[in-house]
Amino acid sequence: MSQFWKPGTERPRLVDDEEGGILLYTASSSSSSGFGYGSLEKQRQRLPVYKYKTAILYSVETHATTIIVGETGSGKTTQIPQYLKEAGWAEGGRMIACTQPRRLAVQAVATRVAEEMDVKLGEEVGYTIRFEDITNEELTRVKFLTDGVLLREMMDDPLLSKYSVIMVDEAHERSLSTDILLGLLKKIQRRRPELRIIISSATIEAKSMAAFFNTRRRREEEQGPTKEPAILSVEGRGFNVEIFYVDDPVSDYVRSAVSTVMSIHDQERMGDILVFLTGQDDIDTAIQLLTEEAQSSGKQGLVSVPLYSGLPRADQDLVFSPTPRGKRKVIFSTNIAETSLTLEGIVYVVDSGFSKQRFYNPISDIENLVVAPISKASARQRAGRAGRVRPGKCFRLYTEDYFSNEMSVVGIPEIQRSNLVSCVIQLKALGIDNILGFDWPASPSPESMIRALEVLYSLGVLDDDAKLTSPTGFQVAEIPLDPLISKMILASCEFGCSEEIITIAAVLSIQSIWIPVRGVQKQLDEAKLRFAAAEGDHVTFLNVYKGFIQSNKSSKWCHKNFINYHAMRKVIEVREQLKRITQRLGIGLKSCEGDIQAVKKAITAGFFANAARLEPFSHNGMYKTLRTSQEVYIHPSSVLFRVNPKFIVYHSLVSTDRQYMRNVITIDPSWLTEAAPHFYQKQLHSSIPQ
Ligand code: ADP
Ligand code: MG
């Protein structure tokens, strides 16, 4: 119906709301029909941000940087890019970019905006996330993308010259990529005074962000937009969300979440429930518990759906699909649903108060993913998911006193608690030589930087002058994966086992391929034994993958073997993507036909920094890392648990009561010095017996 209105001209005024609405937009979409909120156009005008349209456009016109603060649901993400488009910022072949920290949000928001603009997704409105580009070079004017993807675009177009406005949304999350991006945008602005930047969020320390972007020098004659950032605060919010707290702290948030769901189902009127837990393990447990409880109490009508980042596309779609009549959907999610998403049926939110967060210690060089308390900013975002299309309720599984007095206001920026290997490699690929002197919105510790440089040097990614090596450095930078994995893939070429290694890389990108089952640990262990390889977990994964393919990718086969069918489908998906990437880099895929040593050598070439040695007289399986002599143990989920081979490399660490190594493989220590002579030179003479 959009032929009645020519894009680029002023939108016709809707004199008669009813008619106008129908004339311009067919209100047939699922999102607008169900609740009687009228046409999309009218919904748009009802959003708080609508009253600020002129103010926002004026500010963007006159200021290089505009910081917009507004409650969740006020319309920042979906509306501002459209306002910019209407005001002509996408004319003359230019584009408007809007970044999000998470892939899922990018897809969801782009879909919604295309719907509101009544255009086909991938044409005028498109999106790009890692491994998926739904844009059209000629047609796309408004583009949603992750901040990570925008960073990658800078490798080809360092000044991001095709964009007239870049909106960095949900900046309060302070993800690693957001901070790198903010630092780089500040640099770009100096070279491109006409570029406009918008930084938006519900809860953001607007003043410190403004100070960071204030590049105005005193007595400087200004041309073009003023360099002093504008701060705009959008008053008003979506629908009201009533908050409830527990009276006493809960000891088991998974159980407590499940019983809260049950009592909502008992006592509250219809409406879907969104439960925030920390990870796939929690989520699977909760779904199992809920199923059991519903069964034993004879309660019907609940449909549980998981939501986490490793989920295959089809399962992800379940989250967005309408709830069957008479049913109540319960979505168990990690914090991936915390920002930007509008899940239509959601009326109730249950917030555990925790999320999985990265913490890196540069002294021990150990990065852990630990379950940690969330910040108030996150808690508000979570509650906000309940008031998007109608009033809602949020049940917090912590006390009000805890919220008011103990919860931190905002989280620690990720850059200050992460291993910086990927970050450094990206900056290097963008030609930023003086990394220690880089202007960050929040500075990482110099120790972390130095550690990262050291690892990259030993991976052969950086040379003696700390420049990217050719081709290895550039290739590793090109592959959008953890550099250790990228290096492993490159090395597999040399060892003739790239077919096997990309399978392993795909499995490592997934949290777990096993079904965690309470109470039947023994059966699970037995199932694992069917695939277990004496060499360790990576080779075991190869056996599982082979079995899955031979079973014709059967879900029954998975079920019988305690293997997570969804995870395996995701493995296939990621593997296909890795295949394309390696082809692009000109790496031919080759199988080593069962030569396991080749596979292990390729793994070592990427992961030598994660080597550990069994303590000589240890009775409890204690290992020490070769580099920093940290005490570590093999994770009980590993096939090498209790086997305790002398030398191993591990993929990652998790810390619970101890530091546990996940996914380990036996190695010959001489491979370490082969793979990284400089790195292990000292150890060669002292601790590694030849
Ligand atoms: P903000 O970014 O300020 O949190 P958004 O622009 O994401 O707000 O969304 C504003 C409002 O638009 C939501 O509260 C909701 O009412 C509506 N909305 C957005 N996306 C959808 C959707 N997919 N389905 C239905 N309503 C939506
Ligand atoms: Mg938003």
Side-chain angles (χ1 to χ4, degrees):
M1 289 242 163
S2 55
Q3 69 262 32
F4 290 109
W5 167 69
K6 196 163 141 276
T9 59
E10 204 190 4
R11 192 174 284 259
R13 301 210 91 202
L14 308 180
V15 185
D16 177 336
D17 269 348
E18 280 300 317
E19 257 185 42
I22 291 163
L23 182 74
L24 286 171
Y25 289 99
T26 41
S28 62
S29 65
S30 60
S31 61
S32 47
S33 54
F35 306 109
Y37 286 102
S39 70
L40 283 175
E41 185 61 33
K42 276 198 281 172
Q43 283 181 41
R44 290 188 60 199
Q45 294 179 4
R46 226 176 270 140
L47 293 171
V49 78
Y50 183 69
K51 291 198 204 76
Y52 293 81
K53 184 170 168 177
T54 322
I56 292 170
L57 290 175
Y58 177 76
S59 176
V60 172
E61 183 71 45
T62 50
H63 294 75
T65 309
T66 301
I67 295 163
I68 301 179
V69 193
E71 284 281 352
T72 77
S74 55
K76 301 177 298 296
T77 310
T78 54
Q79 304 309 305
I80 295 173
Q82 294 188 66
Y83 297 165
L84 295 168
K85 160 96 193 6
E86 287 164 26
W89 285 98
E91 271 156 33
R94 300 175 302 169
M95 278 210 260
I96 296 159
C98 176
T99 73
Q100 298 288 320
R102 294 178 214 280
R103 301 154 51 104
L104 185 64
V106 169
Q107 294 170 312
V109 169
T111 308
R112 170 68 177 184
V113 171
E115 195 183 336
E116 288 188 8
M117 287 172 59
D118 197 17
V119 297
K120 190 160 165 256
L121 183 62
E123 294 186 351
E124 216 171 319
V125 177
Y127 73 84
T128 312
I129 56 182
R130 185 171 66 159
F131 303 139
E132 193 175 333
D133 182 14
I134 310 293
T135 60
N136 176 312
E137 214 164 290
E138 265 141 50
L139 298 178
T140 304
R141 303 272 65 95
V142 178
K143 175 159 154 189
F144 292 89
L145 66 182
T146 53
D147 27 27
V149 166
L150 191 58
L151 283 178
R152 293 219 153 251
E153 286 192 358
M154 290 180 68
M155 288 201 197
D156 294 328
D157 178 10
L159 294 180
L160 295 173
S161 53
K162 55 180 181 246
Y163 300 107
S164 58
V165 187
I166 295 172
M167 170 164 164
V168 182
D169 199 16
E170 305 302 354
H172 75 277
E173 282 213 16
R174 301 300 295 276
S175 73
L176 190 54
S177 301
T178 307
D179 270 17
I180 302 175
L181 182 63
L182 291 173
L184 289 166
L185 284 178
K186 184 174 170 178
K187 271 183 181 291
I188 292 179
Q189 246 178 353
R190 254 178 249 141
R191 304 269 301 276
R192 280 190 61 199
E194 82 286 3
L195 173 70
R196 301 298 199 278
I197 296 171
I198 298 177
I199 297 164
S200 54
S201 181
T203 36
I204 188 177
E205 292 167 348
K207 288 222 178 76
S208 64
M209 200 48 87
F212 177 70
F213 273 98
N214 191 355
T215 50
R216 185 172 170 215
R217 295 189 200 102
R218 251 184 296 162
R219 269 176 286 137
E220 188 180 43
E221 276 290 315
E222 281 201 323
Q223 281 179 344
T226 159
K227 306 222 166 50
E228 216 167 321
I231 300 181
L232 247 165
S233 162
V234 174
E235 304 293 330
R237 51 183 305 154
F239 296 88
N240 196 39
V241 179
E242 216 181 325
I243 309 274
F244 300 88
Y245 295 92
V246 293
D247 291 332
D248 300 302
V250 305
S251 57
D252 180 341
Y253 63 83
V254 177
R255 278 185 185 282
S256 176
V258 170
S259 61
T260 308
V261 168
M262 287 303 283
S263 56
I264 293 172
H265 189 48
D266 266 350
Q267 293 158 23
E268 303 280 347
R269 61 184 180 86
M270 280 317 264
D272 296 343
I273 307 174
L274 173 62
V275 185
F276 284 101
L277 297 172
T278 69
Q280 191 186 336
D281 35 357
D282 274 4
I283 290 171
D284 289 335
T285 312
I287 290 179
Q288 209 192 340
L289 279 176
L290 185 66
T291 315
E292 284 164 15
E293 280 206 25
Q295 257 164 14
S296 68
S297 63
K299 289 268 153 40
Q300 293 189 332
L302 287 172
V303 192
S304 327
V305 193
L307 178 59
Y308 45 83
S309 60
L311 215 57
R313 197 53 181 275
D315 300 290
Q316 193 178 298
D317 290 344
L318 280 182
V319 170
F320 294 96
S321 65
T323 310
R325 227 168 230 292
K327 300 270 184 202
R328 195 197 286 275
K329 185 153 68 181
V330 188
I331 302 172
F332 289 97
S333 175
T334 59
N335 55 356
I336 115 172
E338 186 175 291
T339 38
S340 295
L341 285 195
T342 300
L343 297 164
E344 265 204 75
I346 299 297
V347 177
Y348 309 100
V349 163
V350 179
D351 172 13
S352 65
F354 291 99
S355 68
K356 276 212 174 121
Q357 294 166 28
R358 274 199 261 198
F359 285 96
Y360 174 69
N361 176 345
I363 307 299
S364 61
D365 191 29
I366 285 178
E367 184 176 65
N368 276 312
L369 207 53
V370 295
V371 172
I374 60 170
S375 66
K376 280 185 181 156
S378 291
R380 291 215 174 88
Q381 289 289 341
R382 289 182 173 189
R385 296 314 101 193
R388 309 285 285 182
V389 289
R390 57 188 130 168
K393 293 183 178 177
C394 173
F395 298 86
R396 291 181 169 159
L397 302 178
Y398 36 91
T399 63
E400 184 164 13
D401 181 58
Y402 173 79
F403 175 79
S404 317
N405 301 320
E406 283 177 55
M407 220 178 215
S408 62
V409 177
V410 288
I412 305 168
E414 201 175 31
I415 196 159
Q416 293 174 335
R417 49 185 174 83
S418 298
N419 174 326
L420 299 176
V421 168
S422 311
C423 164
V424 168
I425 198 170
Q426 277 196 316
L427 290 176
K428 286 285 174 189
L430 291 172
I432 310 283
D433 283 332
N434 181 7
I435 291 199
L436 292 173
F438 190 72
D439 191 5
W440 303 93
S443 303
S445 77
E447 289 86 3
S448 307
M449 276 291 170
I450 288 162
R451 279 286 182 195
L453 288 167
E454 193 189 10
V455 169
L456 289 171
Y457 176 71
S458 60
L459 278 171
V461 165
L462 295 181
D463 62 17
D464 288 341
D465 302 323
K467 291 219 161 38
L468 280 189
T469 56
S470 180
T472 306
F474 284 96
Q475 284 178 329
V476 169
E478 180 85 11
I479 305 176
L481 293 173
D482 176 348
L484 303 194
I485 294 196
S486 309
K487 179 63 197 287
M488 169 178 87
I489 294 176
L490 291 180
S492 72
C493 209
E494 189 183 320
F495 295 108
C497 55
S498 42
E499 283 276 2
E500 286 79 6
I501 286 293
I502 64 167
T503 306
I504 290 172
V507 176
L508 292 178
S509 75
I510 273 143
Q511 216 175 38
S512 172
I513 54 166
W514 307 104
I515 298 180
V517 260
R518 282 200 173 182
V520 284
Q521 191 59 42
K522 197 157 157 274
Q523 283 97 311
L524 175 61
D525 288 344
E526 279 167 14
K528 262 190 204 173
L529 276 184
R530 271 173 241 153
F531 303 98
E535 290 87 359
D537 297 299
H538 304 65
V539 182
T540 305
F541 297 152
L542 290 178
N543 293 341
V544 172
Y545 176 77
K546 206 160 131 202
F548 184 60
I549 297 294
Q550 278 168 356
S551 81
N552 244 331
K553 306 181 193 166
S554 136
S555 63
K556 240 168 71 215
W557 179 88
C558 286
H559 191 76
K560 203 174 71 201
N561 290 299
F562 290 86
I563 288 161
N564 187 334
Y565 173 64
H566 301 298
M568 287 312 291
R569 274 183 24 216
K570 187 76 190 175
V571 167
I572 304 272
E573 222 175 275
V574 175
R575 193 178 184 282
E576 280 307 308
Q577 290 157 348
L578 293 179
K579 217 160 130 178
R580 279 197 293 276
I581 290 172
T582 46
Q583 270 160 2
R584 210 178 55 218
L585 290 175
I587 300 176
L589 285 189
K590 198 165 164 249
S591 166
C592 61
E593 312 293 348
D595 176 5
I596 296 305
Q597 176 145 331
V599 172
K600 294 206 298 179
K601 281 191 166 181
I603 296 170
T604 310
F607 286 90
F608 57 82
N610 296 351
R613 173 197 189 170
L614 184 69
E615 277 296 276
F617 301 105
S618 161
H619 299 297
N620 60 350
M622 185 213 289
Y623 282 76
K624 286 214 169 139
T625 59
L626 286 186
R627 292 184 60 210
T628 55
S629 293
Q630 293 292 307
E631 224 180 83
V632 287
Y633 296 83
I634 294 182
H635 195 273
S637 70
S638 166
V639 297
L640 293 182
F641 179 60
R642 296 218 181 90
V643 177
N644 296 334
K646 203 160 177 189
F647 285 95
I648 55 173
V649 292
Y650 61 86
H651 168 238
S652 61
L653 290 173
V654 284
S655 87
T656 45
D657 50 330
R658 290 168 170 173
Q659 299 282 5
Y660 284 111
M661 302 176 278
R662 280 192 74 211
N663 304 329
V664 298
I665 190 149
T666 60
I667 54 154
D668 181 328
S670 67
W671 299 345
L672 294 173
T673 39
E674 253 172 60
H678 300 286
F679 206 68
Y680 280 112
Q681 219 158 31
K682 259 212 316 271
Q683 279 89 344
L684 180 71
H685 299 300
S686 56
S687 77
I688 301 182
Q690 290 296 293

